[in-house]
Amino acid sequence: MPFSRINPRHARKFAEATGKLAKTDRVDAMMLARMGALLEPRTSTICNELQSALQELAAGRRNLTRDRTALLNCRQNLQVSLLKRLTRYRLRQIEAQIAAIDQAISELISTDESLSRKRTFWSASQVLERPRLRC
């Protein structure tokens, strides 16, 4: 079933602009229906399991990439050999985790026919670098 996400502040401003200031469920439902009919907001659909899994993996990969960048930046200022060694170990660990996530993404993409056709044009990491996977 398609749905739209509406900013509550925008919905309230719309209600105020139309002169309906009552705050009841019935009035809110009527205002949201009227707002949807007049403004025609962008509709979305509920994600399927594959899309949800890909979104979760992409978020995990983004977080690991952020961690890797932070460690690379901190590594430049380290002077204690123990900390340098631990940082190298952590960077190798992060790289292995990113590779594991990339592998999981590739496996998920190969299970879906429409995504595997697109995969010939994009690698898994290029797909993840796109702004956001949308449902």
Side-chain angles (χ1 to χ4, degrees), residues 18-32:
T18 59
K20 298 285 185 185
L21 299 178
K23 191 73 176 121
T24 64
D25 290 342
R26 185 174 180 172
V27 171
D28 284 346
M30 287 175 32
M31 280 290 97
L32 288 173

Side-chain angles (χ1 to χ4, degrees), residues 21-82:
L21 299 178
K23 191 73 176 121
T24 64
D25 290 342
R26 185 174 180 172
V27 171
D28 284 346
M30 287 175 32
M31 280 290 97
L32 288 173
R34 192 171 182 193
M35 182 180 177
L38 291 173
L39 301 180
E40 298 177 0
R42 184 178 58 123
T43 59
S44 301
T45 56
I46 296 176
C47 296
N48 63 27
E49 288 181 30
L50 175 67
Q51 290 168 328
S52 295
L54 284 172
Q55 285 177 344
E56 191 173 341
L57 287 167
R61 190 180 193 285
R62 275 192 305 272
N63 291 336
L64 285 170
T65 304
R66 243 181 255 129
D67 290 349
R68 181 182 59 192
T69 303
L71 275 175
L72 288 170
N73 291 335
C74 288
R75 184 176 72 169
Q76 296 173 354
N77 299 324
L78 293 177
Q79 295 183 7
V80 177
S81 62
L82 172 65

